[in-house]
Amino acid sequence: MSFEVDLLVRNASILTMDDDRPGARGLAVHHGRVLALYDDDSADGLRGRAEIDAQGAVLVPGFGDAHNHMAGFGLGLDTVDLSGLTDLATVYDRIAERASTLPEGAFVLGTGYDDTALGGHPDRYALDRAAGGRPVWLGHRSSHVCLVNSPMLAMLGLLDGTAVVPAGGVVVTDADGRPTGLLEEQAQQLAAEVLRPVPVDMLAGALGKASRVYAADGLTHVTECGIGAGWIGHSPLELAAYQRIADAGELLTRVALMPSMDSLHPLAGGPEDPQRFGLDLGLRTGFGDDRVRIGPVKIFMDGSLSARTAAMHEEFCDRGSHGYLQDDPELLRAHVVDAHAAGWRIAAHAIGDRAIDLILDSFEEARRSHPRPDARPRIEHAAVTSEEQVARMAALGVTPVPQARFLYEIGDSMAAAVGPKRVDRLYRHASFLRAGLRVPGSSDRPVAAGAPLLGIQSMVQRVSSGGLVIGPDERVDALTALRAYTLDTAWIAGEERSRGSLTPGKLADFVLLGDDITTIPADRIGTTEVVATFLGGTCVHGPREW
Ligand SMILES: [Zn+2]
């Protein structure tokens, strides 16, 4: 007797990430899910409507990214790319080049500039000249500050003093009190008001482009960290853009969407309903399907290390400041407690150790006032943590979501910011594991490169682009890093029963790699070929015939 399945993959070297069955040679897929694994090429008499000879390639579960900005990355593909530039003259040339293709008065948008590499932020007046009087907006690589030129400052009411600067933000001025064009943190909302909402059509187009890149990177699931309102959101209709491309069959990656805390509002429920704070209709974490789902709510406690706006207990070593919180601490705490009470899972951006203390206090209070066994609270980045904070996170069951790739891309700048006394506290990994915590893999793309294999390499090496090894005791082996990008990203999304390992019954999301990343030298992991990516048993990247 033989049974026909949708897809058979033979002759593969499978790392299932399932402890009950770590390896296999073949995989049967039916109706989008893993039906069976087998150890020899007989496949227990199964036949496949489609059959693939993997020719010995390594097959692993599809990669997840627990923290990325897919819309921002996709939209950024159409802006002037300023990443990697090391002199300001080239920035002005690139802006002039783009401006010359645009009508008068059109916005000139650039992304990814790095003031550390450039030796300073671009000059507002030089941008005026380069853009021929057009308004210019440049996004810093951290996303936590942006730079605008004079026409845009005028538009925002920052030259005539009519603008109201939001709390938790700074409009940077020079010695004479004139705006330099630099808008920090919540002050970016001023620019967002003229640049947004981004039309849903444009968002959907950007997401489609991003999705193709993601499939080529082996990503089958990502969490989008901040949609809707606030400086991080692109439109109050942002979720509609994801639904649109999913319906059109152009979403090649499963997504969980985190509404920003600013998107939540009081709801008119009955007096006994706990859902008093949320999205219309009471939608919250978990709603949706296996393509597009509502994830946790995202709240910003502080800023970033690269922009020196993170809230620290002690001053930055190269700047006479402690950074700052994004709002009044009482208000931030109240938002966390209210959203938790309404049934939301909470993802709190906290980088500096002072911000981390505040969010741990808030999580502790939320848990005490409204006990919920499976709330899975998380700290995005958890960048600078003391031993005591690691222990407290473990005691409260708070998952850190750090970005190992930052160590390579901005490690030298972060090390300078915190100095030698605190450098080993940066973006820990092994310490979190030793404390019994999980560490899901993530990139914060487009803040850092988003390919999971690069992230895995950085988890293993922890080396900066300048050659500094940051926190050598925090390194992990490649199999542990692979677990972070598969099982643990599924777990933090609350989807460990349907994804994260190649186990019969789970979604058939998997990747074929050109090499075994758990055995090759670490410096080759990031450049390993992603031969093919399958989502629900369908090839979304790879050879045409598959
Ligand atoms: Zn982010």
Side-chain angles (χ1 to χ4, degrees):
M1 193 195 100
S2 91
F3 181 71
E4 192 176 63
V5 298
D6 290 338
L7 172 69
L8 268 187
V9 182
R10 298 177 188 276
N11 194 17
S13 172
I14 303 178
L15 299 171
T16 65
M17 303 311 286
D18 180 341
D19 289 342
D20 291 337
R21 182 178 189 159
R25 258 186 87 76
L27 177 73
V29 174
H30 205 54
H31 291 178
R33 291 186 180 257
V34 177
L35 180 72
L37 294 155
Y38 44 91
D39 289 320
D40 60 41
D41 289 333
S42 74
D44 299 330
L46 291 179
R47 281 182 298 110
R49 250 181 290 283
E51 295 202 10
I52 288 173
D53 179 353
Q55 299 179 0
V58 172
L59 192 156
V60 298
F63 299 126
D65 187 331
H67 181 132
N68 94 116
H69 302 277
M70 189 173 181
F73 171 70
L75 289 167
L77 295 174
D78 286 331
T79 66
V80 182
D81 180 11
L82 304 173
S83 59
L85 298 188
T86 52
D87 70 292
L88 287 166
T90 312
V91 171
Y92 305 137
D93 286 349
R94 295 268 171 94
I95 295 302
E97 208 178 303
R98 176 63 63 89
S100 69
T101 68
L102 297 171
E104 219 161 291
F107 286 102
V108 187
L109 307 176
T111 48
Y113 87 84
D114 180 352
D115 62 307
T116 310
L118 292 169
H121 293 279
D123 177 69
R124 159 191 158 187
Y125 304 101
L127 288 172
D128 295 350
R129 290 190 292 276
R134 292 172 187 82
V136 176
W137 174 91
L138 304 184
H140 187 262
R141 64 168 304 161
S142 70
S143 300
H144 284 265
V145 302
C146 65
L147 189 95
V148 299
N149 69 345
S150 308
M152 187 121 173
L153 282 169
M155 238 183 255
L156 307 183
L158 283 166
L159 294 184
D160 59 10
T162 55
V164 179
V165 182
V170 172
V171 174
V172 177
T173 52
D174 64 18
D176 300 321
R178 281 185 303 244
T180 64
L182 198 61
L183 308 178
E184 291 184 356
E185 305 298 342
Q186 298 292 335
Q188 297 188 95
Q189 282 202 41
L190 295 169
E193 276 165 29
V194 301
L195 294 170
R196 293 167 187 177
V198 178
V200 170
D201 269 352
M202 193 192 280
L203 273 174
L207 291 170
K209 276 186 204 173
S211 189
R212 288 191 287 279
V213 175
Y214 285 18
D217 286 340
L219 283 164
T220 54
H221 184 274
V222 299
T223 296
E224 170 82 12
C225 282
I227 66 163
W231 67 260
I232 195 77
H234 295 93
S235 162
L237 307 178
E238 201 154 359
L239 194 149
Y242 288 87
Q243 269 195 309
R244 178 177 305 180
I245 67 160
D247 291 346
E250 289 162 17
L251 186 61
L252 309 179
T253 319
R254 305 181 196 282
V255 292
L257 305 171
M258 288 189 192
S260 67
M261 189 64 89
D262 304 279
S263 306
L264 273 50
H265 48 84
L267 296 173
E272 285 170 15
D273 293 327
Q275 295 84 5
R276 300 285 195 73
F277 185 56
L279 297 177
D280 289 333
L281 304 176
L283 299 183
R284 63 162 172 81
T285 307
F287 186 81
D289 57 21
D290 59 26
R291 300 170 311 162
V292 179
R293 176 175 296 209
I294 297 179
V297 58
K298 166 83 175 285
I299 184 168
F300 284 97
M301 309 304 279
D302 67 342
S304 80
L305 282 175
S306 58
R308 309 294 191 265
T309 52
M312 307 287 290
H313 282 304
E314 289 174 43
E315 284 188 348
F316 291 112
C317 290
D318 54 356
R319 203 79 58 91
S321 87
H322 295 81
Y324 50 90
L325 297 168
Q326 296 253 327
D327 211 328
D328 172 54
E330 277 312 298
L331 205 66
L332 291 169
R333 193 189 50 74
H335 279 329
V336 169
V337 173
D338 288 351
H340 172 86
W344 284 87
R345 285 186 176 169
I346 295 166
H349 166 117
I351 297 241
D353 45 13
R354 189 157 65 94
I356 287 168
D357 274 341
L358 175 61
I359 187 59
L360 289 174
D361 290 346
S362 308
F363 281 147
E364 191 168 359
E365 183 186 335
R367 195 165 94 143
R368 200 181 327 114
S369 57
H370 296 87
R372 234 171 75 213
D374 206 19
R376 300 190 197 185
R378 44 191 277 182
I379 297 182
E380 308 307 296
H381 314 299
V384 185
T385 48
S386 65
E387 302 286 343
E388 296 72 35
Q389 286 174 325
V390 174
R392 201 171 162 212
M393 286 169 68
L396 291 171
V398 175
T399 304
V401 184
Q403 289 70 36
R405 189 65 188 168
F406 285 0
L407 298 168
Y408 178 78
E409 296 195 13
I410 50 173
D412 297 307
S413 165
M414 293 194 300
V418 299
K421 211 179 79 193
R422 291 175 289 183
V423 70
D424 286 345
R425 301 179 177 189
L426 281 174
Y427 286 92
R428 293 175 189 267
H429 193 149
S431 291
F432 290 134
L433 297 178
R434 279 193 294 269
L437 292 164
R438 296 176 190 245
V439 180
S442 74
S443 68
D444 206 11
R445 173 150 49 185
V447 178
L453 291 174
L454 291 173
I456 289 172
Q457 180 172 328
S458 284
M459 284 179 172
V460 175
Q461 292 188 309
R462 295 184 66 87
V463 65
S464 73
S465 56
L468 180 70
V469 176
I470 297 172
D473 294 342
E474 299 293 340
R475 287 182 287 206
V476 298
D477 63 44
L479 190 63
T480 304
L482 180 59
R483 181 188 165 96
Y485 272 94
T486 53
L487 269 182
D488 292 335
T489 53
W491 180 83
I492 195 62
E495 295 169 19
E496 68 275 17
R497 279 188 292 274
S498 59
R499 303 191 286 108
S501 65
L502 294 167
T503 303
K506 287 196 183 186
L507 293 164
D509 295 352
F510 58 88
V511 177
L512 282 155
L513 298 174
D515 227 329
D516 183 349
I517 58 168
T518 64
T519 57
I520 59 175
D523 58 3
R524 279 175 38 206
I525 294 173
T527 49
T528 297
E529 186 191 0
V530 175
V531 178
T533 304
F534 284 76
L535 188 77
T538 299
C539 183
V540 290
H541 161 76
R544 215 169 268 279
E545 64 272 19
W546 291 357

